[in-house]
Amino acid sequence: MQWDLFCRVIDNHGDIGVCWRLAADLAARGEQVRLWVDDPSALVWMAPVGAAGVSVQAWAMHDALMEPGDVVVEAFGCELPPAMVERMASARRAPVWINLEYLSAERFVERSHRLKSPQANGLVKWFFYPGFTTRTGGLIREHDLPQRQHVFDPSAWLAAHGLRRIDGEQIVSLFCYEQAALPALLDQLAERPTLLLATVGHAARQVSEILGPGLSRGALRATLLPALTQRGYDELLWGCDLNFVRGEDSFVRAQWAGKPFVWHIYPQHDGAHLAKLDAFLGLFLTDAEPALSTQVRRFTHTWNTSTTLAEPLAPLDTWQRHSIEWRDKLLAQTDLSTQLLGLVAETR
């Protein structure tokens, strides 16, 4: 089928990151996707070779689209151009119109997933909610993801980036928004041999400012990574013992990595993000050992709300086992693209 996927880049590239993964995954399953985006600049480093079956279109050129495809997806409530909606309403066969919502573990997601909203022009809009349970739309997961992870060689990946692990050293990746608690984290990491891999943006800038030209403190040494492709970022997560992630896309990829992770949720001025954070932790830690649950919850909260980190990191071996168990639960669920295809097949 022909899909039209609309995306507006608000900030931090999270919207385009999720939309590109979805477009590429649908195309890998034989679909044709036009990705309409107002700022495609991040794709230069995020997906430099593109993907067969995906064409990137400038949002401003939507009027040149003569006929909508079989499916039209507006990502994250971006609102379709009026001209597009008019064409959809007048089409010989109206496309399936889907509003792809933000990811959340909150309870309303299960109630709202796959609800339809009749429109005044006769069209119907379907609300599709990604999530972590079987009553939601699932998560983006490529068919070959487990196989790629299985053959991944972390030592080779480090060597390709001019790095190697010193005996006894833990490897930690850092991807965050502006982070007031970062000095406290670096102090904590400096207490044991650690190689910190800081990603481009806030993480690299802050690490450089705090550690100075030597990029080291105590037993901690840091490296500022170049911009990574999405697949390269996945491999970074696989090769680390602990991953600090942010937003939505890297948050999901950290869960597929099956490694301990700390989530820096996108902050909202009204504090609504903290309810979203608690909802996820409640799910993620349901079957965790009590001590692990307490430590992960407290550390994640202070990482998102404080300038200090009074709570130490949980033991990585216990955390690792739980992360793998959580990943296995998610792998048993139907992925997002498969569910989208199922919704379209039912409603067409």
mmCIF file of all heavy atoms in Angstrom, residues 281-308:
data_model
loop_
_atom_site.group_PDB
_atom_site.id
_atom_site.type_symbol
_atom_site.label_atom_id
_atom_site.label_comp_id
_atom_site.label_asym_id
_atom_site.label_seq_id
_atom_site.Cartn_x
_atom_site.Cartn_y
_atom_site.Cartn_z
ATOM 1 N N LEU A 281 7.499 3.206 35.295
ATOM 2 C CA LEU A 281 8.243 2.490 36.328
ATOM 3 C C LEU A 281 7.367 1.458 37.024
ATOM 4 O O LEU A 281 7.840 0.372 37.389
ATOM 5 C CB LEU A 281 8.805 3.489 37.346
ATOM 6 C CG LEU A 281 9.925 4.399 36.842
ATOM 7 C CD1 LEU A 281 10.288 5.439 37.900
ATOM 8 C CD2 LEU A 281 11.161 3.587 36.446
ATOM 9 N N GLY A 282 6.088 1.787 37.193
ATOM 10 C CA GLY A 282 5.178 0.830 37.801
ATOM 11 C C GLY A 282 5.074 -0.448 36.997
ATOM 12 O O GLY A 282 5.051 -1.554 37.557
ATOM 13 N N LEU A 283 5.019 -0.325 35.669
ATOM 14 C CA LEU A 283 4.976 -1.499 34.809
ATOM 15 C C LEU A 283 6.315 -2.218 34.778
ATOM 16 O O LEU A 283 6.402 -3.430 34.962
ATOM 17 C CB LEU A 283 4.593 -1.092 33.384
ATOM 18 C CG LEU A 283 3.125 -0.982 33.011
ATOM 19 C CD1 LEU A 283 2.995 -0.617 31.533
ATOM 20 C CD2 LEU A 283 2.392 -2.276 33.286
ATOM 21 N N PHE A 284 7.365 -1.456 34.530
ATOM 22 C CA PHE A 284 8.696 -2.024 34.342
ATOM 23 C C PHE A 284 9.170 -2.783 35.579
ATOM 24 O O PHE A 284 9.830 -3.826 35.477
ATOM 25 C CB PHE A 284 9.680 -0.897 33.999
ATOM 26 C CG PHE A 284 11.118 -1.328 33.894
ATOM 27 C CD1 PHE A 284 11.518 -2.228 32.919
ATOM 28 C CD2 PHE A 284 12.067 -0.833 34.772
ATOM 29 C CE1 PHE A 284 12.841 -2.623 32.820
ATOM 30 C CE2 PHE A 284 13.386 -1.220 34.681
ATOM 31 C CZ PHE A 284 13.778 -2.122 33.697
ATOM 32 N N LEU A 285 8.832 -2.292 36.756
ATOM 33 C CA LEU A 285 9.355 -2.861 37.994
ATOM 34 C C LEU A 285 8.365 -3.789 38.703
ATOM 35 O O LEU A 285 8.626 -4.221 39.828
ATOM 36 C CB LEU A 285 9.761 -1.733 38.940
ATOM 37 C CG LEU A 285 10.888 -0.817 38.419
ATOM 38 C CD1 LEU A 285 11.039 0.405 39.313
ATOM 39 C CD2 LEU A 285 12.208 -1.591 38.315
ATOM 40 N N THR A 286 7.265 -4.123 38.038
ATOM 41 C CA THR A 286 6.244 -4.959 38.677
ATOM 42 C C THR A 286 6.828 -6.247 39.252
ATOM 43 O O THR A 286 6.536 -6.629 40.386
ATOM 44 C CB THR A 286 5.124 -5.298 37.674
ATOM 45 O OG1 THR A 286 4.473 -4.092 37.279
ATOM 46 C CG2 THR A 286 4.103 -6.236 38.295
ATOM 47 N N ASP A 287 7.642 -6.933 38.483
ATOM 48 C CA ASP A 287 8.168 -8.232 38.907
ATOM 49 C C ASP A 287 9.628 -8.160 39.353
ATOM 50 O O ASP A 287 10.282 -9.192 39.477
ATOM 51 C CB ASP A 287 8.037 -9.241 37.756
ATOM 52 C CG ASP A 287 6.583 -9.463 37.358
ATOM 53 O OD1 ASP A 287 5.736 -9.517 38.262
ATOM 54 O OD2 ASP A 287 6.304 -9.564 36.148
ATOM 55 N N ALA A 288 10.132 -6.952 39.580
ATOM 56 C CA ALA A 288 11.530 -6.804 39.995
ATOM 57 C C ALA A 288 11.699 -7.159 41.470
ATOM 58 O O ALA A 288 10.755 -7.076 42.259
ATOM 59 C CB ALA A 288 11.993 -5.374 39.753
ATOM 60 N N GLU A 289 12.917 -7.559 41.834
ATOM 61 C CA GLU A 289 13.220 -7.785 43.245
ATOM 62 C C GLU A 289 12.986 -6.472 43.996
ATOM 63 O O GLU A 289 13.298 -5.392 43.482
ATOM 64 C CB GLU A 289 14.664 -8.238 43.409
ATOM 65 C CG GLU A 289 14.958 -9.586 42.754
ATOM 66 C CD GLU A 289 16.404 -9.995 42.906
ATOM 67 O OE1 GLU A 289 17.131 -9.341 43.685
ATOM 68 O OE2 GLU A 289 16.813 -10.958 42.240
ATOM 69 N N PRO A 290 12.429 -6.531 45.207
ATOM 70 C CA PRO A 290 12.089 -5.313 45.941
ATOM 71 C C PRO A 290 13.236 -4.315 46.072
ATOM 72 O O PRO A 290 13.040 -3.110 45.889
ATOM 73 C CB PRO A 290 11.635 -5.839 47.304
ATOM 74 C CG PRO A 290 11.117 -7.206 47.016
ATOM 75 C CD PRO A 290 11.994 -7.752 45.929
ATOM 76 N N ALA A 291 14.432 -4.800 46.385
ATOM 77 C CA ALA A 291 15.570 -3.886 46.543
ATOM 78 C C ALA A 291 15.901 -3.191 45.235
ATOM 79 O O ALA A 291 16.176 -1.982 45.201
ATOM 80 C CB ALA A 291 16.785 -4.648 47.067
ATOM 81 N N LEU A 292 15.884 -3.954 44.131
ATOM 82 C CA LEU A 292 16.160 -3.376 42.819
ATOM 83 C C LEU A 292 15.097 -2.353 42.465
ATOM 84 O O LEU A 292 15.413 -1.255 41.977
ATOM 85 C CB LEU A 292 16.207 -4.469 41.757
ATOM 86 C CG LEU A 292 16.395 -3.978 40.318
ATOM 87 C CD1 LEU A 292 17.776 -3.369 40.138
ATOM 88 C CD2 LEU A 292 16.170 -5.118 39.319
ATOM 89 N N SER A 293 13.836 -2.699 42.701
ATOM 90 C CA SER A 293 12.743 -1.795 42.392
ATOM 91 C C SER A 293 12.911 -0.458 43.111
ATOM 92 O O SER A 293 12.768 0.613 42.506
ATOM 93 C CB SER A 293 11.409 -2.434 42.781
ATOM 94 O OG SER A 293 10.335 -1.547 42.545
ATOM 95 N N THR A 294 13.242 -0.519 44.384
ATOM 96 C CA THR A 294 13.409 0.706 45.177
ATOM 97 C C THR A 294 14.550 1.546 44.648
ATOM 98 O O THR A 294 14.417 2.772 44.468
ATOM 99 C CB THR A 294 13.661 0.351 46.647
ATOM 100 O OG1 THR A 294 12.519 -0.344 47.169
ATOM 101 C CG2 THR A 294 13.895 1.612 47.466
ATOM 102 N N GLN A 295 15.689 0.912 44.358
ATOM 103 C CA GLN A 295 16.857 1.669 43.908
ATOM 104 C C GLN A 295 16.647 2.284 42.536
ATOM 105 O O GLN A 295 16.988 3.452 42.311
ATOM 106 C CB GLN A 295 18.092 0.759 43.903
ATOM 107 C CG GLN A 295 18.655 0.489 45.287
ATOM 108 C CD GLN A 295 19.940 -0.320 45.221
ATOM 109 O OE1 GLN A 295 19.912 -1.525 45.030
ATOM 110 N NE2 GLN A 295 21.064 0.348 45.373
ATOM 111 N N VAL A 296 16.103 1.511 41.606
ATOM 112 C CA VAL A 296 15.890 2.038 40.254
ATOM 113 C C VAL A 296 14.883 3.177 40.283
ATOM 114 O O VAL A 296 15.075 4.216 39.643
ATOM 115 C CB VAL A 296 15.421 0.912 39.309
ATOM 116 C CG1 VAL A 296 14.966 1.496 37.967
ATOM 117 C CG2 VAL A 296 16.533 -0.098 39.086
ATOM 118 N N ARG A 297 13.816 3.010 41.043
ATOM 119 C CA ARG A 297 12.796 4.045 41.117
ATOM 120 C C ARG A 297 13.368 5.337 41.712
ATOM 121 O O ARG A 297 13.158 6.430 41.170
ATOM 122 C CB ARG A 297 11.614 3.556 41.959
ATOM 123 C CG ARG A 297 10.387 4.457 41.910
ATOM 124 C CD ARG A 297 9.300 3.927 42.819
ATOM 125 N NE ARG A 297 8.866 2.591 42.435
ATOM 126 C CZ ARG A 297 7.917 2.351 41.531
ATOM 127 N NH1 ARG A 297 7.317 3.369 40.937
ATOM 128 N NH2 ARG A 297 7.562 1.110 41.248
ATOM 129 N N ARG A 298 14.082 5.228 42.814
ATOM 130 C CA ARG A 298 14.629 6.420 43.465
ATOM 131 C C ARG A 298 15.676 7.111 42.598
ATOM 132 O O ARG A 298 15.680 8.340 42.474
ATOM 133 C CB ARG A 298 15.236 6.034 44.815
ATOM 134 C CG ARG A 298 14.209 5.709 45.895
ATOM 135 C CD ARG A 298 14.888 5.317 47.186
ATOM 136 N NE ARG A 298 13.920 5.037 48.245
ATOM 137 C CZ ARG A 298 14.235 4.546 49.437
ATOM 138 N NH1 ARG A 298 15.519 4.272 49.720
ATOM 139 N NH2 ARG A 298 13.304 4.314 50.333
ATOM 140 N N PHE A 299 16.564 6.312 41.989
ATOM 141 C CA PHE A 299 17.601 6.922 41.165
ATOM 142 C C PHE A 299 16.981 7.620 39.955
ATOM 143 O O PHE A 299 17.366 8.748 39.613
ATOM 144 C CB PHE A 299 18.601 5.868 40.693
ATOM 145 C CG PHE A 299 19.810 6.465 40.019
ATOM 146 C CD1 PHE A 299 20.966 6.718 40.732
ATOM 147 C CD2 PHE A 299 19.779 6.806 38.674
ATOM 148 C CE1 PHE A 299 22.064 7.290 40.117
ATOM 149 C CE2 PHE A 299 20.864 7.381 38.049
ATOM 150 C CZ PHE A 299 22.026 7.625 38.774
ATOM 151 N N THR A 300 16.013 6.970 39.319
ATOM 152 C CA THR A 300 15.375 7.570 38.145
ATOM 153 C C THR A 300 14.661 8.862 38.511
ATOM 154 O O THR A 300 14.714 9.849 37.756
ATOM 155 C CB THR A 300 14.390 6.575 37.513
ATOM 156 O OG1 THR A 300 15.078 5.368 37.181
ATOM 157 C CG2 THR A 300 13.773 7.167 36.252
ATOM 158 N N HIS A 301 14.018 8.888 39.661
ATOM 159 C CA HIS A 301 13.325 10.103 40.090
ATOM 160 C C HIS A 301 14.310 11.238 40.354
ATOM 161 O O HIS A 301 14.073 12.379 39.933
ATOM 162 C CB HIS A 301 12.482 9.817 41.338
ATOM 163 C CG HIS A 301 11.052 9.547 41.025
ATOM 164 N ND1 HIS A 301 10.128 10.544 40.827
ATOM 165 C CD2 HIS A 301 10.373 8.378 40.835
ATOM 166 C CE1 HIS A 301 8.952 10.016 40.546
ATOM 167 N NE2 HIS A 301 9.070 8.691 40.547
ATOM 168 N N THR A 302 15.400 10.956 41.039
ATOM 169 C CA THR A 302 16.342 12.037 41.317
ATOM 170 C C THR A 302 17.022 12.509 40.036
ATOM 171 O O THR A 302 17.308 13.704 39.887
ATOM 172 C CB THR A 302 17.404 11.593 42.343
ATOM 173 O OG1 THR A 302 18.054 10.402 41.880
ATOM 174 C CG2 THR A 302 16.780 11.329 43.691
ATOM 175 N N TRP A 303 17.245 11.599 39.095
ATOM 176 C CA TRP A 303 17.826 11.978 37.803
ATOM 177 C C TRP A 303 16.918 12.952 37.062
ATOM 178 O O TRP A 303 17.383 13.825 36.333
ATOM 179 C CB TRP A 303 18.067 10.730 36.963
ATOM 180 C CG TRP A 303 18.712 10.916 35.639
ATOM 181 C CD1 TRP A 303 18.175 10.645 34.410
ATOM 182 C CD2 TRP A 303 20.045 11.400 35.374
ATOM 183 N NE1 TRP A 303 19.070 10.920 33.408
ATOM 184 C CE2 TRP A 303 20.230 11.389 33.976
ATOM 185 C CE3 TRP A 303 21.077 11.839 36.190
ATOM 186 C CZ2 TRP A 303 21.416 11.794 33.366
ATOM 187 C CZ3 TRP A 303 22.270 12.244 35.593
ATOM 188 C CH2 TRP A 303 22.427 12.232 34.193
ATOM 189 N N ASN A 304 15.619 12.828 37.282
ATOM 190 C CA ASN A 304 14.651 13.671 36.581
ATOM 191 C C ASN A 304 14.206 14.900 37.369
ATOM 192 O O ASN A 304 13.553 15.780 36.795
ATOM 193 C CB ASN A 304 13.411 12.844 36.213
ATOM 194 C CG ASN A 304 13.620 12.009 34.973
ATOM 195 O OD1 ASN A 304 13.452 12.473 33.857
ATOM 196 N ND2 ASN A 304 14.006 10.748 35.173
ATOM 197 N N THR A 305 14.542 14.980 38.649
ATOM 198 C CA THR A 305 13.975 16.063 39.458
ATOM 199 C C THR A 305 14.984 16.822 40.309
ATOM 200 O O THR A 305 14.632 17.861 40.871
ATOM 201 C CB THR A 305 12.902 15.512 40.416
ATOM 202 O OG1 THR A 305 13.508 14.562 41.318
ATOM 203 C CG2 THR A 305 11.775 14.838 39.654
ATOM 204 N N SER A 306 16.211 16.358 40.424
ATOM 205 C CA SER A 306 17.121 16.927 41.409
ATOM 206 C C SER A 306 18.474 17.283 40.807
ATOM 207 O O SER A 306 18.783 16.937 39.665
ATOM 208 C CB SER A 306 17.308 15.929 42.563
ATOM 209 O OG SER A 306 18.184 16.451 43.541
ATOM 210 N N THR A 307 19.288 17.968 41.597
ATOM 211 C CA THR A 307 20.662 18.264 41.205
ATOM 212 C C THR A 307 21.637 17.322 41.900
ATOM 213 O O THR A 307 22.834 17.370 41.647
ATOM 214 C CB THR A 307 21.038 19.713 41.565
ATOM 215 O OG1 THR A 307 20.917 19.888 42.984
ATOM 216 C CG2 THR A 307 20.127 20.696 40.855
ATOM 217 N N THR A 308 21.122 16.487 42.796
ATOM 218 C CA THR A 308 21.964 15.535 43.522
ATOM 219 C C THR A 308 21.473 14.121 43.256
ATOM 220 O O THR A 308 20.351 13.917 42.785
ATOM 221 C CB THR A 308 21.916 15.809 45.035
ATOM 222 O OG1 THR A 308 20.557 15.661 45.493
ATOM 223 C CG2 THR A 308 22.409 17.220 45.347
#
